[in-house]
Amino acid sequence: MPLASIPSPSEGVWHLGFIPIRAYALCFIVGIAFGVWLSQRRWRARGGEEGAITDIAVPGVVFGLIGARLYHVITDWQLYFGPRAIKEPYQALFIWEGGMSIWGAVALGGVGVWLACRRRGLSVSAVADTVAPGIAFGQAIARWGNWFNQELYGSPTTLPWGLEIDQAHGGQPGVLYHPTFLYESLWNVALGFALIYAGRRFTLRHGRLFALYVAGYTLGRFWIEGLRIDPVGGVDHAVMFLDLRINQWTSIVLLAGALVYFWVTRHKDTEEIVVPASPEQPAARGS
């Protein structure tokens, strides 16, 4: 065993009386709260109303949590259904056991945000650009839930920051693994700061900053995903296509789509609504 390593928590659940406090869920809650707080500050700085982002976040988070779990169950269906399933079908509802996908969260969460923006009369693209850094920072925080669950680790490594995984979670005695949760967390922190800088330096509007977030995240996720050894899409092995995992192909498709959108909208300069119209006055436009 190398002299240096990252230990995994011995437990991820604490009890407050008979109430279980799960670290995985706590990390998600803190990540969401921080993302909403930062996004609200950015929205006010853009001229938006106080509390608007909080109101929009409620359906966005609800839809996002459903989408995050649906994507996991769909891509890892063999864990819960079929002759080789190692879990009962009803365990697909046990979100505290892990299995929350950012792809599903952003996709279905976006539907919730779109519905809320329509109801309030706001530009979806303006909201998307505002929340992009908050999503990145929120993901960075939420990823630590995987550390407590001892999941999403990578292949064996001899690096001094190798991660210890106990045998109950698939680890081998004396073997360290790439802490992919940490790689992604650090990548997302860097991405969040890069988005804030790019938004201020280049005044990116009309969803272009959000497209930059998608491109940046998928670029990092692609190489991090390649280090993982957990079975995504299968029971005892990951489903592969042309030597790439499912999530790597998803990253490629979304990266390409984000870059195309960024290029196509490069000359778009119409105003965006950040304050809904009132009966007495027209809607306020974003700067």
Side-chain angles (χ1 to χ4, degrees):
M1 175 73 71
L3 295 178
S5 63
I6 301 175
S8 286
S10 58
E11 59 181 341
V13 183
W14 307 281
H15 288 83
L16 186 62
F18 63 89
I19 301 175
I21 307 298
R22 302 182 184 277
Y24 185 84
L26 189 61
C27 289
F28 263 80
I29 292 172
V30 174
I32 291 171
F34 183 84
V36 172
W37 171 80
L38 177 61
S39 298
Q40 183 59 58
R41 284 176 58 90
R42 287 170 50 78
W43 186 248
R44 288 200 308 268
R46 191 166 175 175
E49 293 181 319
E50 179 74 32
I53 292 297
T54 303
D55 293 341
I56 292 171
V58 173
V61 169
V62 172
F63 277 67
L65 290 175
I66 295 173
R69 191 59 175 179
L70 279 177
Y71 183 95
H72 163 72
V73 174
I74 290 172
T75 55
D76 282 300
W77 65 271
Q78 294 182 74
L79 291 175
Y80 308 96
F81 310 100
R84 302 184 64 210
I86 59 176
K87 296 184 178 183
E88 295 295 332
Y90 65 82
Q91 289 182 281
L93 301 175
F94 293 178
I95 61 175
W96 55 85
E97 293 183 351
M100 301 292 284
S101 169
I102 183 59
W103 312 124
V106 172
L108 204 55
V111 174
V113 169
W114 175 74
L115 291 173
C117 287
R118 284 200 60 182
R119 180 172 57 83
R120 296 181 66 97
L122 301 173
S123 295
V124 178
S125 58
V127 172
D129 288 334
T130 300
V131 304
I135 293 177
F137 286 121
Q139 286 177 254
I141 297 171
R143 266 299 174 220
W144 285 84
N146 301 126
W147 180 54
F148 282 96
N149 277 8
Q150 296 196 46
E151 59 185 0
L152 302 189
Y153 51 87
S155 56
T157 181
T158 57
L159 293 171
W161 55 82
L163 179 66
E164 299 175 20
I165 298 293
D166 61 40
Q167 290 181 274
H169 293 85
Q172 297 297 322
V175 178
L176 299 179
Y177 301 87
H178 279 288
T180 52
F181 84 91
L182 179 59
Y183 297 162
E184 186 170 332
S185 181
L186 293 175
W187 180 273
N188 287 332
V189 169
L191 177 60
F193 282 115
L195 291 172
I196 291 175
Y197 171 78
R200 292 175 177 174
R201 176 68 176 80
F202 304 105
T203 317
L204 299 175
R205 295 287 187 263
H206 298 286
R208 299 184 76 214
L209 190 66
F210 188 82
L212 200 61
Y213 151 74
V214 174
Y217 176 73
T218 53
L219 185 64
R221 182 63 183 268
F222 179 84
W223 71 265
I224 293 171
E225 193 72 24
L227 295 174
R228 289 172 57 180
I229 59 175
D230 55 309
V232 177
V235 175
D236 53 11
H237 65 282
V239 173
M240 308 289 287
F241 178 69
L242 298 179
D243 293 328
L244 295 178
R245 295 160 64 96
I246 291 175
N247 287 333
Q248 287 182 294
W249 282 109
T250 303
S251 295
I252 291 173
V253 172
L254 292 178
L255 173 60
L259 293 177
V260 169
Y261 180 88
F262 192 88
W263 175 258
V264 169
T265 59
R266 66 191 186 280
H267 297 309
K268 192 171 184 179
D269 58 0
T270 54
E271 292 183 299
E272 297 173 285
I273 300 173
V274 298
V275 177
S278 66
E280 296 80 19
Q281 61 185 19
R285 309 286 174 168
S287 59

